[in-house]
Amino acid sequence: MFIKISRSLTVIMNIAIFIVGIALCAALIDSLITLCITAWDKFFVHDDYNKIVEELITFFLYFEFLALITKYFKNNFHFPLHYFLYIGITAIVRFIIVSHDLSTDILIWSISILVLVISLLLVEKFVQRD
């Protein structure tokens, strides 16, 4: 009985992750269109390029989440830990680029990136990859 419940929950979870993947594909396409429009506008204005970098990093965040979902299905329904670390590092870098008001906040976020990079090195060294 517990095996049937476990299989049913796994199927429901896989369907939900597949739907999230489709939504992320739509968001990725929307982000790509926004990136192209922003780059086109900034190309002629020669304005601050922070908006282009922000859109580019947002695009890569969507791309990384899609790669994570792809790896989930390829690795027999398992999320690799190092992908979460990559996404965390990218998200913090994006946050620093978008809001860089206080130098103490940037220092704290930079330290958190360092912790994530050290964690990534430890995972690469000690955790078996699939």
Side-chain angles (χ1 to χ4, degrees), residues 4-24:
K4 288 183 180 182
I5 293 172
S6 175
R7 287 182 184 160
S8 299
L9 291 176
T10 302
V11 167
I12 291 170
M13 183 179 66
N14 289 339
I15 291 170
I17 289 175
F18 183 75
I19 292 170
V20 168
I22 292 172
L24 283 172

Side-chain angles (χ1 to χ4, degrees), residues 48 50-58 61 90-102 106:
D48 188 21
N50 283 343
K51 184 68 175 166
I52 295 174
V53 174
E54 177 185 341
E55 291 295 331
L56 184 64
I57 294 176
T58 301
L61 277 171
T90 306
I92 293 173
V93 167
R94 181 192 181 280
F95 184 75
I96 289 173
I97 290 171
V98 171
S99 64
H100 49 273
D101 298 331
L102 298 174
I106 294 173

Side-chain angles (χ1 to χ4, degrees), residues 13-47:
M13 183 179 66
N14 289 339
I15 291 170
I17 289 175
F18 183 75
I19 292 170
V20 168
I22 292 172
L24 283 172
C25 285
L28 180 74
I29 292 169
D30 181 59
S31 179
L32 180 63
I33 292 169
T34 305
L35 175 64
C36 291
I37 291 171
T38 303
W40 184 262
D41 290 344
K42 299 296 181 183
F43 179 74
F44 291 110
V45 176
H46 298 296
D47 198 13

Side-chain angles (χ1 to χ4, degrees), residues 64 67-68 71 75 78-90 116-117 119-125 127-130:
E64 287 177 355
L68 178 70
K71 278 291 191 185
N75 288 346
H78 170 71
F79 283 116
L81 179 60
H82 61 279
Y83 270 81
F84 285 112
L85 296 171
Y86 291 144
I87 291 171
I89 291 167
T90 306
L116 286 174
V117 168
S119 300
L120 184 62
L121 291 173
L122 292 173
V123 165
E124 295 288 331
K125 183 171 175 96
V127 176
Q128 179 71 21
R129 274 193 154 178
D130 292 328

